[in-house]
Amino acid sequence: MSESEVVKVERYNGVSTIIMNRPHKRNAMSPELHVAMDSTLKELEKDNDTKVVVIRGAGGTFSAGQDLKEFFRAMEDKPAEAKHIQEIANRWRWERLYNYEKPTIAMVEGYCVGGAFMQLLATDFAIAADNATFSLSEVNWGILPGGLVGKVVADSVLYRHALYYACLGDAFDGKEAARVGFVNFSVPQDKLEAEVDKLAQKLMAKSPAVLTATKQAMRAVRTMDFGQAADYLYAKNAAIRANDPEQSYKTGMSQFLDKKTFRPVYEPFKLGTLLTDQSVKK
Ligand code: COA
């Protein structure tokens, strides 16, 4: 695992927590941190022991966004270096996370500012502390929300909220972030870790193949018309049934219809039961 000083990984029972680790700079993202996040995410995606990835920051704060000194000022006279690091910064915070095979959760406490909205909104789920502080601060120090921040914000929440917070730069708390839709929900600070773990456990109880296909499909249909979406979803379901090692469809059907051992409205079917389950209809 390519851990570095600026990025740490903690593993526990299938959950790998990636920690942005520059607490003295409120986890502002330096070029070094971008490189380390990119390689860490890449490695965890193929790590068999990692079922869910959580992203958080050290020292009680998520991230104060791009490092204004190291990512901006130090790059002003180095266009080639700046382009290279911008590509890496966008890759891990967008392409990699957005298309990640495994479920991802952002755990937000302390500050979540500017460029940090990209990893916030590229993860599948986000839970914040009620007292976290969010801000699209760019307008306050002289740029617009660049990288892809403006795009992901405009795509993620209602247009009026996106415009309001991008143009005002006002700080808002975790409860407001949940109301507007930047995070799924917020909880008291002392319950944050437990709530993130609870969500991770729920995700790990699902069929991995079906969960991955579901999140890929929900993202993909956003930019399709109805005809394209119907066709794509039909094909995606066929692909799950053809390739799923759990044979989730047959197993789930059998456990509900034949064995009557679970009810889908309240819980997922029991994973890992197919091989001993002779009653699954072929
Ligand atoms: N880039 C570079 N350095 C940053 C930083 C950033 N985005 N955010 C914080 N830091 C540094 C500060 O310069 C300070 O460094 P120093 O100790 O060498 O002086 C250190 O982190 C602590 O910051 P400080 O402002 O003293 O902490 P605070 O808890 O009082 O306030 C913030 C925290 C996040 C409210 C404040 O630092 C801030 O407004 N940062 C700018 C955030 C921003 O606009 N980010 C957008 C980038 S896209």
Side-chain angles (χ1 to χ4, degrees):
M1 177 59 54
S2 65
E3 274 195 60
S4 69
E5 280 303 306
V6 294
V7 170
K8 300 279 177 205
V9 178
E10 284 176 4
R11 297 150 173 280
Y12 183 70
N13 282 349
V15 181
S16 291
T17 302
I18 306 179
I19 305 166
M20 298 173 280
N21 188 39
R22 301 183 72 223
H24 57 296
K25 297 290 181 188
R26 306 296 181 265
N27 305 317
M29 296 180 285
S30 61
E32 188 191 1
L33 184 139
H34 284 303
V35 170
M37 287 298 292
D38 191 44
S39 58
T40 302
L41 277 167
K42 186 177 179 182
E43 287 175 33
L44 289 179
E45 192 165 33
K46 54 184 192 238
D47 171 37
N48 289 334
D49 296 331
T50 296
K51 311 295 181 202
V52 173
V53 167
V54 173
I55 298 184
R56 65 180 293 182
T61 212
F62 188 65
S63 169
Q66 297 290 15
D67 188 304
L68 300 192
K69 193 171 173 187
E70 295 192 31
F71 187 85
F72 284 105
R73 183 180 279 171
M75 296 289 164
E76 281 167 13
D77 302 324
K78 301 175 188 161
E81 212 176 305
K83 182 170 185 291
H84 174 66
I85 204 65
Q86 278 160 11
E87 280 170 5
I88 295 171
N90 280 347
R91 184 167 65 217
W92 81 262
R93 292 179 306 155
W94 194 245
E95 289 97 334
R96 213 179 272 298
L97 267 182
Y98 194 77
N99 299 308
Y100 216 62
E101 292 271 322
K102 299 170 182 181
T104 56
I105 307 171
M107 175 181 146
V108 185
E109 57 188 334
Y111 293 102
C112 175
V113 188
F117 274 69
M118 273 185 66
Q119 60 263 40
L120 171 75
L121 295 171
T123 47
D124 301 318
F125 311 98
I127 307 178
D130 290 339
N131 61 359
T133 302
F134 294 76
S135 166
L136 288 165
S137 69
E138 287 89 339
V139 70
N140 289 337
W141 58 272
I143 69 167
L144 54 73
L148 283 169
V149 177
K151 169 69 176 159
V152 300
V153 167
D155 267 5
S156 302
V157 297
L158 290 177
Y159 170 67
R160 283 214 177 277
H161 298 312
L163 204 57
Y164 184 89
Y165 284 114
C167 290
L168 274 299
D170 283 3
F172 53 98
D173 66 13
K175 290 182 181 173
E176 172 69 356
R179 185 188 74 83
V180 168
F182 282 118
V183 302
N184 292 98
F185 53 90
S186 72
V187 295
Q189 167 87 46
D190 61 354
K191 302 216 166 23
L192 183 59
E193 280 192 36
E195 286 296 330
V196 168
D197 189 56
K198 198 159 108 187
L199 176 57
Q201 298 303 324
K202 284 173 82 171
L203 291 166
M204 285 192 289
K206 314 281 183 206
S207 155
V210 178
L211 184 58
T212 299
T214 302
K215 70 178 203 147
Q216 287 170 341
M218 293 302 286
R219 291 189 191 282
V221 296
R222 293 177 78 194
T223 53
M224 293 180 193
D225 65 27
F226 274 77
Q228 291 166 331
D231 200 32
Y232 169 90
L233 292 170
Y234 181 84
K236 194 80 173 163
N237 258 327
I240 303 176
R241 290 177 66 172
N243 300 315
D244 176 9
E246 292 280 346
Q247 288 292 297
S248 301
Y249 172 78
K250 287 178 184 166
T251 309
M253 288 285 241
S254 168
Q255 288 184 13
F256 177 61
L257 294 176
D258 307 324
K259 297 188 146 194
K260 301 191 183 300
T261 51
F262 89 117
R263 289 181 299 166
V265 167
Y266 297 110
E267 59 193 325
F269 73 85
K270 314 286 179 298
L271 282 173
T273 47
L274 177 73
L275 296 179
T276 55
D277 186 351
Q278 300 306 320
S279 69
V280 171
K281 299 277 186 295
K282 297 292 175 202

